[in-house]
């Protein structure tokens, strides 16, 4: 069975560490990737890590997970609040999906409270800083172990 977990990052996350550090912290996306690879090794997961500012590219990566990856960790960034297309792509994937937000979106502007992606996510990790990514990997490993897509959905 596949142990591939694909970690996807949406727009502006390439600027992590430089962009609004009071909200997103000082760690860069390269630091996050290194942490994820460390955690992946511990959990015996094969990590693939991507970031794009382009919606279609994220959709194509999600399609590439079909029949191949065991799970997806996704921080869709601003596309969280706008993208039915990403929701539809995720709905065409069979494994567990964990949605991550570095900041606590519920303590911010009203428009950040709605996520299209949460409707398909097995779990959502919000406001745990960049540690949210490794927490998400632990959760994916548990769900893969159980051979389940979701906990408590449907
Ligand atoms: C974010 C929260 C989003 O509202 C925002 O557009 C981002 C990052 C987070 O990780 O906290 O770009 O997904």
């Amino acid at each position: 069975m596949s142990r591939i977990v694909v970690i996807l990052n949406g727009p502006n996350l390439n600027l992590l560490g430089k962009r609004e550090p009071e909200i997103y912290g000082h760690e860069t996306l390269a630091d996050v990737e290194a942490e994820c690879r460390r955690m992946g090794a511990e959990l015996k997961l094969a990590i693939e890590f991507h970031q794009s500012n382009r919606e279609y590219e994220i959709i194509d990566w999600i399609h590439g997970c079909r029949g191949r990856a065991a799970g997806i960790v996704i921080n869709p960034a601003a596309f969280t609040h706008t993208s039915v297309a990403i929701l539809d792509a995720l709905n065409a994937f069979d494994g567990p999906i964990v949605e991550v937000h570095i900041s606590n979106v519920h303590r911010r502007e009203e428009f950040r409270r709605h996520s299209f992606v949460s409707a398909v996510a097995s779990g959502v990790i919000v406001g745990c800083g960049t540690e949210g990514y490794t927490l998400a990997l632990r959760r994916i490993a548990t769900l893969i172990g159980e051979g389940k897509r979701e906990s408590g959905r449907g």
Side-chain angles (χ1 to χ4, degrees), residues 19 24 75 77-78 81 101-103 105 108 112:
R19 161 203 187 212
Y24 298 113
N75 182 349
H81 318 297
H101 299 287
I102 297 165
S103 65
V105 286
R108 301 180 63 193
R112 292 187 202 276

